[in-house]
Amino acid sequence: MRAAHLFAAEWLKVRTLRSFRACAVAAVILAIGGAVLAGSAYTDPAFAEGLTARDAAADVFGWPSAVLRIPLLVLAVLVLGSEYAGGAIRVTFVAAPRRIEVLAAKALVVTVAVALLATLSLSLGYAAALPLLRRAGLTDVPLGTVLSLLGGEVGYCVLVGLFAYAVTLLVRNTAAGVALTLGVLLLLGLVLAVLDIWVRFDLTGLAFSAAASQVTTDPFSRALPVVVGWLAVPAVFGTLAVVRRDA
């Protein structure tokens, strides 16, 4: 089966998942809700005092991005986890015996699906918040800056999706994939911040969330090897396990 056919087959499987539709709806609702909430806060002159239009736009993208990552990472986990849960992965590998190509096609599906949903959700959220920002006089932001802010948040969501997929590749379980990914995203930064006190060395930059945030604003920063490591370790060991063991 050619790569294009593999991608089309994996894309079809994802689109027909009920959970895909649920995650997509949740992503849109959370993004719009988060953006409107941020925009509403700035209609209060006391809250918006000293704030620039760019800062407000960054928050209107940042707040919803923080919450919509949860349905997006669940979606990324389900791309592989749902097949292991139902045993359909065996049928997949019978139809397409080249397992690495199958895994690559799934990773591409995760990238495309997360990027499209994040772009759509955040764009709708920004459009919903624009009247509120206009009322607060915080809309004087160049289009290029808006697109740059949107691109940064979409890039972060894609990195989160790929990390969730790589973790699921390693653990082969939907619940474990979601739990481990959320743990790394939400808790590891706090744990490293506490450890800083004991080792007297800045460890927070080693957290996936902090490193990914830096990479989305500066792709060639010193955080890039950290992000590559977080993605590569579970992906490599997970791929080896899939290739060498029975599904």
Side-chain angles (χ1 to χ4, degrees):
M1 190 177 290
R2 298 176 62 181
H5 294 157
L6 273 177
F7 175 79
E10 295 299 332
W11 181 252
L12 178 62
K13 282 191 285 188
V14 170
R15 283 194 297 112
T16 52
L17 284 175
R18 285 185 181 178
S19 46
F20 172 80
R21 298 166 195 161
C23 289
V25 172
V28 172
I29 291 175
L30 288 173
I32 293 176
V36 170
L37 185 64
S40 300
Y42 299 134
T43 57
D44 181 352
F47 193 82
E49 186 178 0
L51 194 74
T52 66
R54 187 194 181 284
D55 292 337
D59 287 344
V60 165
F61 282 120
W63 288 21
S65 174
V67 289
L68 76 83
R69 288 168 200 160
I70 295 176
L72 293 181
L73 78 84
V74 172
L75 170 64
V77 168
L78 287 172
V79 168
L80 184 63
S82 62
E83 289 201 54
Y84 272 107
I89 192 69
R90 299 187 185 91
V91 180
T92 297
F93 287 149
V94 169
R98 296 179 179 176
R99 297 187 175 190
I100 293 179
E101 292 185 6
V102 172
L103 298 179
K106 289 181 179 295
L108 183 58
V109 166
V110 168
T111 301
V112 173
V114 171
L116 288 177
L117 280 175
T119 302
L120 175 65
S121 303
L122 292 173
S123 298
L124 290 175
Y126 184 72
L130 262 182
L132 299 168
L133 294 178
R134 190 172 293 115
R135 191 187 308 172
L138 294 171
T139 54
D140 187 20
V141 185
L143 178 60
T145 301
V146 173
L147 294 178
S148 175
L149 293 171
L150 173 62
E153 296 299 339
V154 171
Y156 189 100
C157 290
V158 170
L159 290 177
V160 169
L162 288 175
F163 177 63
Y165 173 72
V167 169
T168 310
L169 189 58
L170 184 63
V171 299
R172 303 187 186 192
N173 181 278
T174 301
V178 171
L180 285 173
T181 305
L182 281 176
V184 169
L185 290 178
L186 302 179
L187 299 179
L188 184 61
L190 295 176
V191 173
L192 291 176
V194 172
L195 290 177
D196 278 355
I197 301 172
W198 297 93
V199 300
R200 299 179 182 279
F201 183 77
D202 184 14
L203 297 174
T204 55
L206 298 177
F208 175 83
S209 53
S213 181
Q214 289 184 40
V215 166
T216 53
T217 54
D218 181 7
F220 300 106
S221 69
R222 290 187 297 177
L224 181 59
V226 178
V227 174
V228 171
W230 275 108
L231 295 177
V233 170
V236 169
F237 283 101
T239 301
L240 288 175
V242 170
V243 171
R244 293 181 176 180
R245 299 177 188 170
D246 291 335

